[in-house]
Short mmCIF file of all heavy atoms in Angstrom, two decimals:
data_model
loop_
_atom_site.label_atom_id
_atom_site.label_comp_id
_atom_site.label_asym_id
_atom_site.label_seq_id
_atom_site.Cartn_x
_atom_site.Cartn_y
_atom_site.Cartn_z
N ARG A 234 -19.27 -11.11 -10.43
CA ARG A 234 -18.84 -10.73 -9.06
C ARG A 234 -17.41 -10.21 -9.07
O ARG A 234 -17.10 -9.20 -8.43
CB ARG A 234 -18.98 -11.92 -8.11
CG ARG A 234 -18.66 -11.53 -6.66
CD ARG A 234 -18.95 -12.66 -5.70
NE ARG A 234 -18.61 -12.28 -4.34
CZ ARG A 234 -19.42 -11.61 -3.52
NH1 ARG A 234 -20.63 -11.26 -3.93
NH2 ARG A 234 -19.03 -11.30 -2.30
N ALA A 235 -16.50 -10.90 -9.77
CA ALA A 235 -15.12 -10.44 -9.85
C ALA A 235 -15.05 -9.07 -10.53
O ALA A 235 -14.27 -8.19 -10.15
CB ALA A 235 -14.26 -11.46 -10.60
N PHE A 236 -15.91 -8.89 -11.55
CA PHE A 236 -15.94 -7.60 -12.25
C PHE A 236 -16.38 -6.49 -11.31
O PHE A 236 -15.78 -5.40 -11.27
CB PHE A 236 -16.87 -7.70 -13.47
CG PHE A 236 -17.02 -6.42 -14.23
CD1 PHE A 236 -16.16 -6.11 -15.27
CD2 PHE A 236 -18.03 -5.50 -13.90
CE1 PHE A 236 -16.30 -4.91 -15.97
CE2 PHE A 236 -18.16 -4.31 -14.58
CZ PHE A 236 -17.29 -4.01 -15.62
N ILE A 237 -17.46 -6.73 -10.55
CA ILE A 237 -17.99 -5.72 -9.64
C ILE A 237 -16.96 -5.39 -8.56
O ILE A 237 -16.73 -4.21 -8.21
CB ILE A 237 -19.30 -6.19 -9.00
CG1 ILE A 237 -20.39 -6.33 -10.07
CG2 ILE A 237 -19.76 -5.21 -7.93
CD1 ILE A 237 -20.77 -5.06 -10.77
N LYS A 238 -16.29 -6.41 -8.00
CA LYS A 238 -15.27 -6.17 -6.96
C LYS A 238 -14.11 -5.34 -7.52
O LYS A 238 -13.61 -4.44 -6.84
CB LYS A 238 -14.75 -7.49 -6.41
CG LYS A 238 -15.76 -8.25 -5.56
CD LYS A 238 -15.14 -9.47 -4.91
CE LYS A 238 -14.12 -9.08 -3.87
NZ LYS A 238 -13.60 -10.25 -3.12
N ARG A 239 -13.70 -5.64 -8.72
CA ARG A 239 -12.60 -4.88 -9.32
C ARG A 239 -13.02 -3.44 -9.60
O ARG A 239 -12.27 -2.50 -9.39
CB ARG A 239 -12.12 -5.57 -10.59
CG ARG A 239 -10.89 -4.92 -11.20
CD ARG A 239 -10.26 -5.78 -12.27
NE ARG A 239 -11.14 -5.92 -13.42
CZ ARG A 239 -11.78 -7.03 -13.77
NH1 ARG A 239 -11.66 -8.12 -13.00
NH2 ARG A 239 -12.54 -7.08 -14.85
N TYR A 240 -14.27 -3.28 -10.08
CA TYR A 240 -14.76 -1.94 -10.40
C TYR A 240 -14.86 -1.10 -9.12
O TYR A 240 -14.43 0.06 -9.09
CB TYR A 240 -16.13 -2.04 -11.08
CG TYR A 240 -16.68 -0.70 -11.51
CD1 TYR A 240 -16.38 -0.17 -12.76
CD2 TYR A 240 -17.51 0.04 -10.66
CE1 TYR A 240 -16.90 1.06 -13.15
CE2 TYR A 240 -18.02 1.26 -11.04
CZ TYR A 240 -17.71 1.77 -12.28
OH TYR A 240 -18.20 2.99 -12.66
N LEU A 241 -15.43 -1.68 -8.06
CA LEU A 241 -15.54 -0.95 -6.79
C LEU A 241 -14.16 -0.68 -6.18
O LEU A 241 -13.94 0.36 -5.54
CB LEU A 241 -16.41 -1.73 -5.81
CG LEU A 241 -17.89 -1.87 -6.18
CD1 LEU A 241 -18.62 -2.73 -5.15
CD2 LEU A 241 -18.57 -0.51 -6.32
N GLY A 242 -13.24 -1.64 -6.35
CA GLY A 242 -11.89 -1.43 -5.82
C GLY A 242 -11.22 -0.22 -6.44
O GLY A 242 -10.46 0.48 -5.76
N ASN A 243 -11.49 0.03 -7.70
CA ASN A 243 -10.94 1.23 -8.35
C ASN A 243 -11.52 2.51 -7.75
O ASN A 243 -10.93 3.58 -7.91
CB ASN A 243 -11.21 1.19 -9.85
CG ASN A 243 -10.45 0.08 -10.55
OD1 ASN A 243 -9.40 -0.36 -10.08
ND2 ASN A 243 -10.97 -0.40 -11.68
N MET A 244 -12.67 2.39 -7.09
CA MET A 244 -13.29 3.54 -6.41
C MET A 244 -12.95 3.55 -4.92
O MET A 244 -13.57 4.29 -4.16
CB MET A 244 -14.81 3.49 -6.59
CG MET A 244 -15.28 3.52 -8.05
SD MET A 244 -17.07 3.29 -8.20
CE MET A 244 -17.67 4.79 -7.43
N ASN A 245 -11.98 2.73 -4.49
CA ASN A 245 -11.58 2.60 -3.08
C ASN A 245 -12.75 2.12 -2.22
O ASN A 245 -12.98 2.60 -1.10
CB ASN A 245 -11.04 3.93 -2.53
CG ASN A 245 -9.78 4.39 -3.25
OD1 ASN A 245 -9.00 3.56 -3.75
ND2 ASN A 245 -9.56 5.68 -3.32
N ILE A 246 -13.49 1.14 -2.79
CA ILE A 246 -14.59 0.49 -2.07
C ILE A 246 -14.33 -1.00 -2.07
O ILE A 246 -14.02 -1.60 -3.12
CB ILE A 246 -15.96 0.80 -2.73
CG1 ILE A 246 -16.22 2.32 -2.74
CG2 ILE A 246 -17.09 0.08 -2.00
CD1 ILE A 246 -17.44 2.73 -3.51
N ALA A 247 -14.45 -1.62 -0.90
CA ALA A 247 -14.16 -3.05 -0.77
C ALA A 247 -15.40 -3.81 -0.32
O ALA A 247 -16.31 -3.25 0.31
CB ALA A 247 -13.02 -3.27 0.22
N ILE A 248 -15.44 -5.10 -0.66
CA ILE A 248 -16.51 -5.99 -0.24
C ILE A 248 -15.92 -7.01 0.73
O ILE A 248 -15.02 -7.77 0.38
CB ILE A 248 -17.15 -6.73 -1.43
CG1 ILE A 248 -17.76 -5.71 -2.41
CG2 ILE A 248 -18.22 -7.70 -0.96
CD1 ILE A 248 -18.32 -6.34 -3.68
N TYR A 249 -16.40 -6.99 2.00
CA TYR A 249 -15.94 -7.91 3.03
C TYR A 249 -17.07 -8.88 3.35
O TYR A 249 -18.21 -8.45 3.62
CB TYR A 249 -15.53 -7.17 4.30
CG TYR A 249 -14.55 -6.04 4.07
CD1 TYR A 249 -15.00 -4.73 3.91
CD2 TYR A 249 -13.19 -6.29 4.01
CE1 TYR A 249 -14.09 -3.70 3.71
CE2 TYR A 249 -12.29 -5.27 3.80
CZ TYR A 249 -12.75 -3.97 3.64
OH TYR A 249 -11.86 -2.95 3.44
N ASN A 250 -16.82 -10.17 3.30
CA ASN A 250 -17.84 -11.17 3.57
C ASN A 250 -17.65 -11.74 4.96
O ASN A 250 -16.58 -12.25 5.30
CB ASN A 250 -17.80 -12.30 2.53
CG ASN A 250 -18.95 -13.27 2.70
OD1 ASN A 250 -18.87 -14.20 3.47
ND2 ASN A 250 -20.03 -13.01 1.96
N LYS A 251 -18.70 -11.65 5.77
CA LYS A 251 -18.70 -12.19 7.12
C LYS A 251 -20.00 -12.95 7.34
O LYS A 251 -21.08 -12.37 7.28
CB LYS A 251 -18.54 -11.08 8.17
CG LYS A 251 -17.22 -10.34 8.11
CD LYS A 251 -17.14 -9.29 9.18
CE LYS A 251 -15.81 -8.54 9.12
NZ LYS A 251 -15.71 -7.49 10.18
N GLN A 252 -19.82 -14.25 7.59
CA GLN A 252 -20.96 -15.11 7.88
C GLN A 252 -22.04 -15.01 6.80
O GLN A 252 -23.23 -14.92 7.08
CB GLN A 252 -21.54 -14.78 9.26
CG GLN A 252 -20.56 -14.98 10.40
CD GLN A 252 -21.15 -14.62 11.75
OE1 GLN A 252 -22.25 -14.08 11.83
NE2 GLN A 252 -20.41 -14.95 12.81
N GLY A 253 -21.59 -15.00 5.55
CA GLY A 253 -22.52 -15.02 4.43
C GLY A 253 -23.10 -13.67 4.07
O GLY A 253 -23.94 -13.58 3.16
N ILE A 254 -22.71 -12.61 4.74
CA ILE A 254 -23.23 -11.27 4.46
C ILE A 254 -22.10 -10.42 3.91
O ILE A 254 -20.99 -10.40 4.46
CB ILE A 254 -23.82 -10.63 5.73
CG1 ILE A 254 -24.98 -11.47 6.28
CG2 ILE A 254 -24.29 -9.21 5.44
CD1 ILE A 254 -25.55 -10.95 7.57
N ASP A 255 -22.36 -9.70 2.84
CA ASP A 255 -21.36 -8.79 2.25
C ASP A 255 -21.45 -7.42 2.92
O ASP A 255 -22.55 -6.83 3.02
CB ASP A 255 -21.59 -8.63 0.75
CG ASP A 255 -21.04 -9.80 -0.05
OD1 ASP A 255 -20.39 -10.67 0.56
OD2 ASP A 255 -21.25 -9.82 -1.28
N TYR A 256 -20.31 -6.95 3.39
CA TYR A 256 -20.22 -5.59 3.94
C TYR A 256 -19.50 -4.73 2.90
O TYR A 256 -18.34 -5.00 2.56
CB TYR A 256 -19.45 -5.59 5.25
CG TYR A 256 -20.15 -6.31 6.38
CD1 TYR A 256 -20.03 -7.69 6.51
CD2 TYR A 256 -20.94 -5.62 7.29
CE1 TYR A 256 -20.67 -8.37 7.54
CE2 TYR A 256 -21.59 -6.29 8.32
CZ TYR A 256 -21.45 -7.66 8.44
OH TYR A 256 -22.09 -8.33 9.45
N VAL A 257 -20.15 -3.73 2.40
CA VAL A 257 -19.58 -2.84 1.38
C VAL A 257 -19.19 -1.53 2.07
O VAL A 257 -20.05 -0.82 2.61
CB VAL A 257 -20.59 -2.57 0.24
CG1 VAL A 257 -19.94 -1.73 -0.86
CG2 VAL A 257 -21.11 -3.88 -0.32
N ALA A 258 -17.90 -1.25 2.07
CA ALA A 258 -17.40 -0.09 2.81
C ALA A 258 -16.19 0.51 2.08
O ALA A 258 -15.47 -0.20 1.36
CB ALA A 258 -17.00 -0.48 4.23
N PRO A 259 -15.95 1.81 2.29
CA PRO A 259 -14.78 2.43 1.66
C PRO A 259 -13.50 2.03 2.41
O PRO A 259 -13.55 1.66 3.58
CB PRO A 259 -15.06 3.92 1.79
CG PRO A 259 -15.92 4.04 3.00
CD PRO A 259 -16.76 2.79 3.02
N PHE A 260 -12.39 2.14 1.76
CA PHE A 260 -11.09 1.88 2.40
C PHE A 260 -10.08 2.90 1.90
O PHE A 260 -10.26 3.52 0.85
CB PHE A 260 -10.60 0.46 2.10
CG PHE A 260 -10.21 0.23 0.67
CD1 PHE A 260 -8.90 0.42 0.24
CD2 PHE A 260 -11.16 -0.17 -0.27
CE1 PHE A 260 -8.54 0.22 -1.08
CE2 PHE A 260 -10.80 -0.37 -1.59
CZ PHE A 260 -9.49 -0.19 -2.00
N THR A 261 -9.04 3.09 2.71
CA THR A 261 -7.96 4.02 2.35
C THR A 261 -6.82 3.21 1.75
O THR A 261 -6.24 2.35 2.44
CB THR A 261 -7.46 4.79 3.57
OG1 THR A 261 -8.56 5.52 4.14
CG2 THR A 261 -6.36 5.77 3.18
N PRO A 262 -6.51 3.43 0.51
CA PRO A 262 -5.44 2.64 -0.10
C PRO A 262 -4.09 2.98 0.50
O PRO A 262 -3.83 4.11 0.90
CB PRO A 262 -5.50 3.05 -1.59
CG PRO A 262 -6.11 4.42 -1.57
CD PRO A 262 -7.07 4.43 -0.42
N LYS A 263 -3.25 2.00 0.59
CA LYS A 263 -1.90 2.21 1.11
C LYS A 263 -1.06 2.96 0.07
O LYS A 263 -1.09 2.63 -1.11
CB LYS A 263 -1.23 0.87 1.44
CG LYS A 263 -1.88 0.14 2.61
CD LYS A 263 -1.13 -1.15 2.91
CE LYS A 263 -1.74 -1.89 4.10
NZ LYS A 263 -1.02 -3.14 4.40
N ALA A 264 -0.37 3.96 0.58
CA ALA A 264 0.50 4.73 -0.32
C ALA A 264 1.68 3.87 -0.74
O ALA A 264 2.22 3.08 0.05
CB ALA A 264 1.00 5.99 0.38
N TYR A 265 2.09 4.07 -1.95
CA TYR A 265 3.21 3.29 -2.46
C TYR A 265 4.51 3.76 -1.79
O TYR A 265 4.81 4.95 -1.75
CB TYR A 265 3.33 3.47 -3.98
CG TYR A 265 4.59 2.86 -4.55
CD1 TYR A 265 4.74 1.48 -4.66
CD2 TYR A 265 5.65 3.68 -4.95
CE1 TYR A 265 5.90 0.92 -5.16
CE2 TYR A 265 6.82 3.12 -5.46
CZ TYR A 265 6.94 1.75 -5.57
OH TYR A 265 8.09 1.21 -6.07
N VAL A 266 5.21 2.82 -1.21
CA VAL A 266 6.50 3.09 -0.58
C VAL A 266 7.58 2.42 -1.41
O VAL A 266 7.63 1.19 -1.49
CB VAL A 266 6.54 2.57 0.87
CG1 VAL A 266 7.90 2.85 1.49
CG2 VAL A 266 5.43 3.20 1.70
N PRO A 267 8.43 3.22 -2.04
CA PRO A 267 9.48 2.60 -2.86
C PRO A 267 10.45 1.82 -1.98
O PRO A 267 10.58 2.09 -0.78
CB PRO A 267 10.17 3.82 -3.50
CG PRO A 267 9.84 4.97 -2.62
CD PRO A 267 8.49 4.68 -2.06
N PRO A 268 11.13 0.87 -2.54
CA PRO A 268 12.08 0.06 -1.75
C PRO A 268 13.15 0.93 -1.10
O PRO A 268 13.65 1.88 -1.70
CB PRO A 268 12.69 -0.88 -2.81
CG PRO A 268 11.70 -0.91 -3.92
CD PRO A 268 11.05 0.43 -3.94
N GLN A 269 13.47 0.61 0.14
CA GLN A 269 14.47 1.35 0.90
C GLN A 269 15.74 0.51 1.03
O GLN A 269 15.67 -0.71 1.18
CB GLN A 269 13.94 1.70 2.29
CG GLN A 269 12.62 2.43 2.29
CD GLN A 269 12.75 3.89 1.97
OE1 GLN A 269 13.47 4.61 2.64
NE2 GLN A 269 12.06 4.34 0.94
N GLU A 270 16.87 1.20 0.99
CA GLU A 270 18.16 0.53 1.14
C GLU A 270 18.99 1.27 2.17
O GLU A 270 18.74 2.45 2.48
CB GLU A 270 18.91 0.48 -0.19
CG GLU A 270 18.27 -0.39 -1.25
CD GLU A 270 19.12 -0.49 -2.49
OE1 GLU A 270 20.20 0.14 -2.52
OE2 GLU A 270 18.72 -1.20 -3.44
N THR A 271 19.98 0.59 2.70
CA THR A 271 20.91 1.19 3.66
C THR A 271 22.25 1.45 2.97
O THR A 271 22.79 0.56 2.32
CB THR A 271 21.13 0.26 4.87
OG1 THR A 271 19.88 0.05 5.53
CG2 THR A 271 22.11 0.88 5.86
N PHE A 272 22.73 2.65 3.15
CA PHE A 272 24.01 3.05 2.56
C PHE A 272 24.97 3.42 3.69
O PHE A 272 24.62 4.20 4.58
CB PHE A 272 23.80 4.24 1.62
CG PHE A 272 25.08 4.82 1.08
CD1 PHE A 272 25.84 4.14 0.15
CD2 PHE A 272 25.52 6.06 1.52
CE1 PHE A 272 27.02 4.68 -0.34
CE2 PHE A 272 26.69 6.62 1.02
CZ PHE A 272 27.44 5.92 0.10
N VAL A 273 26.14 2.84 3.67
CA VAL A 273 27.15 3.07 4.70
C VAL A 273 28.34 3.77 4.08
O VAL A 273 28.86 3.32 3.05
CB VAL A 273 27.60 1.74 5.36
CG1 VAL A 273 28.66 1.99 6.42
CG2 VAL A 273 26.39 1.02 5.97
N TYR A 274 28.77 4.86 4.72
CA TYR A 274 29.89 5.65 4.20
C TYR A 274 30.83 5.99 5.34
O TYR A 274 30.40 6.46 6.40
CB TYR A 274 29.37 6.93 3.54
CG TYR A 274 30.45 7.84 3.01
CD1 TYR A 274 31.06 7.61 1.79
CD2 TYR A 274 30.85 8.95 3.75
CE1 TYR A 274 32.04 8.45 1.30
CE2 TYR A 274 31.84 9.80 3.27
CZ TYR A 274 32.43 9.54 2.05
OH TYR A 274 33.41 10.37 1.56
N ARG A 275 32.10 5.78 5.13
CA ARG A 275 33.10 6.14 6.13
C ARG A 275 33.78 7.44 5.68
O ARG A 275 34.50 7.46 4.69
CB ARG A 275 34.14 5.03 6.28
CG ARG A 275 35.11 5.25 7.44
CD ARG A 275 36.05 4.06 7.58
NE ARG A 275 35.31 2.85 7.93
CZ ARG A 275 34.98 2.52 9.16
NH1 ARG A 275 35.30 3.30 10.18
NH2 ARG A 275 34.31 1.41 9.40
N PRO A 276 33.54 8.54 6.39
CA PRO A 276 34.10 9.84 5.97
C PRO A 276 35.62 9.82 5.90
O PRO A 276 36.29 9.17 6.72
CB PRO A 276 33.59 10.80 7.05
CG PRO A 276 32.39 10.14 7.63
CD PRO A 276 32.68 8.68 7.58
N ARG A 277 36.14 10.58 4.95
CA ARG A 277 37.59 10.69 4.79
C ARG A 277 38.14 11.88 5.57
O ARG A 277 39.22 11.81 6.15
CB ARG A 277 37.92 10.85 3.30
CG ARG A 277 37.42 9.71 2.43
CD ARG A 277 37.81 9.94 0.98
NE ARG A 277 39.25 9.90 0.80
CZ ARG A 277 39.91 10.51 -0.18
NH1 ARG A 277 39.24 11.24 -1.05
NH2 ARG A 277 41.22 10.41 -0.28
N PHE A 278 37.42 13.00 5.56
CA PHE A 278 37.95 14.22 6.16
C PHE A 278 36.98 14.83 7.18
O PHE A 278 37.40 15.24 8.26
CB PHE A 278 38.25 15.27 5.08
CG PHE A 278 39.24 14.80 4.05
CD1 PHE A 278 38.82 14.42 2.78
CD2 PHE A 278 40.59 14.74 4.34
CE1 PHE A 278 39.72 14.00 1.82
CE2 PHE A 278 41.50 14.31 3.39
CZ PHE A 278 41.06 13.93 2.12
N ARG A 279 35.72 14.92 6.83
CA ARG A 279 34.74 15.61 7.68
C ARG A 279 34.12 14.65 8.70
O ARG A 279 34.15 13.44 8.54
CB ARG A 279 33.65 16.23 6.82
CG ARG A 279 34.15 17.21 5.77
CD ARG A 279 34.60 18.50 6.39
NE ARG A 279 34.94 19.49 5.36
CZ ARG A 279 35.11 20.78 5.59
NH1 ARG A 279 34.98 21.25 6.82
NH2 ARG A 279 35.43 21.61 4.61
N SER A 280 33.51 15.24 9.71
CA SER A 280 32.85 14.44 10.74
C SER A 280 31.48 13.97 10.25
O SER A 280 30.89 14.54 9.33
CB SER A 280 32.69 15.26 12.02
OG SER A 280 31.77 16.31 11.83
N VAL A 281 30.97 12.93 10.90
CA VAL A 281 29.64 12.43 10.58
C VAL A 281 28.60 13.52 10.81
O VAL A 281 27.67 13.70 10.00
CB VAL A 281 29.33 11.18 11.44
CG1 VAL A 281 27.87 10.79 11.30
CG2 VAL A 281 30.23 10.02 11.02
#
């Protein structure tokens, strides 16, 4: 079962269990978002 779930997951297919019944449906994988940081700079000469 773990093998089948992993194999289908690679095909963007998920198995959802509700009340003892497996629902097999496609899903849209979340795009990878790299970590974001905040950078603060105080201008010396030019305007913001």
Side-chain angles (χ1 to χ4, degrees):
R234 185 173 179 85
F236 177 90
I237 295 297
K238 290 186 68 174
R239 185 167 67 251
Y240 183 89
L241 293 177
N243 293 334
M244 301 174 66
N245 297 331
I246 300 173
I248 299 175
Y249 308 96
N250 186 274
K251 296 181 180 180
Q252 299 179 352
I254 299 176
D255 280 354
Y256 294 84
V257 184
F260 69 92
T261 302
K263 293 182 179 180
Y265 171 73
V266 179
Q269 306 281 303
E270 293 185 359
T271 299
F272 173 71
V273 179
Y274 178 81
R275 188 176 296 275
R277 302 181 65 205
F278 302 104
R279 302 288 186 166
S280 67
V281 170

